[in-house]
Amino acid sequence: MYRRIMVPVDLEHVDHMEKALHGAAELATSYSVPVCYVAVAGRAPNEVAATPEQFARALEQFARDQADAHGIETSSLTMSSVDVPAELDHKLLEAIRTTGSDLVVMASHSPGVSDRLHLIGSNAAWLVRHTDVSVFVVR
């Protein structure tokens, strides 16, 4: 049914993504398809890495760890950004095309006051509206 699963990850907040990561692994096992873990990284140092190259290596290691933990085929793709918050949605859309994914499994934040007031939108909601592939949002 699916050929490739894409999972957007925030390496600084992996602890909030357990359900999405597990769900993606279960789907990958069920459909015998690979998972590509995608992260959008800025050029400035962050908690994960001091350089974009170190960040890409950290994401590659994360993908290998997921493969070992779940017995699935994995890969990684680091998308570079000058302004991650401003470009995140479009970079994820580009990653879907680049990876050839036909299913996205992504974690979503719990709705808060700003969501109820429509002050900000969710990345998952934006992606659902702007792509023609299936998006499974895990809360």
Side-chain angles (χ1 to χ4, degrees), residues 53-110:
E53 296 78 19
Q54 287 177 346
F55 186 91
R57 285 194 299 275
L59 183 62
E60 288 171 8
Q61 184 59 53
F62 176 80
R64 283 193 298 272
D65 292 346
Q66 290 297 304
D68 292 343
H70 300 287
I72 58 176
E73 180 185 339
T74 65
S75 62
S76 65
L77 174 65
T78 302
M79 304 290 291
S80 180
S81 173
V82 179
D83 185 351
V84 175
E87 296 182 326
L88 181 62
D89 295 331
H90 292 280
K91 290 291 185 176
L92 292 177
L93 191 58
E94 181 183 341
I96 291 170
R97 294 182 191 120
T98 300
T99 63
S101 297
D102 53 354
L103 173 63
V104 177
V105 176
M106 64 188 302
S108 176
H109 65 279
S110 297

Side-chain angles (χ1 to χ4, degrees), residues 13-139:
H13 300 286
V14 171
D15 54 325
H16 298 300
M17 299 180 55
E18 287 181 35
K19 284 174 147 181
L21 294 172
H22 181 73
E26 289 290 319
L27 288 166
T29 300
S30 295
Y31 292 111
S32 298
V33 297
V35 176
C36 183
Y37 297 95
V38 174
V40 180
R43 297 178 187 181
N46 60 34
E47 291 179 27
V48 175
T51 67
E53 296 78 19
Q54 287 177 346
F55 186 91
R57 285 194 299 275
L59 183 62
E60 288 171 8
Q61 184 59 53
F62 176 80
R64 283 193 298 272
D65 292 346
Q66 290 297 304
D68 292 343
H70 300 287
I72 58 176
E73 180 185 339
T74 65
S75 62
S76 65
L77 174 65
T78 302
M79 304 290 291
S80 180
S81 173
V82 179
D83 185 351
V84 175
E87 296 182 326
L88 181 62
D89 295 331
H90 292 280
K91 290 291 185 176
L92 292 177
L93 191 58
E94 181 183 341
I96 291 170
R97 294 182 191 120
T98 300
T99 63
S101 297
D102 53 354
L103 173 63
V104 177
V105 176
M106 64 188 302
S108 176
H109 65 279
S110 297
V113 173
S114 59
D115 295 301
R116 287 192 280 281
L117 297 175
H118 305 288
L119 297 176
I120 61 170
S122 124
N123 300 109
W126 188 92
L127 204 56
V128 166
R129 288 191 307 271
H130 291 89
T131 187
D132 59 352
V133 304
S134 297
V135 180
F136 178 25
V137 182
V138 180
R139 181 170 293 155

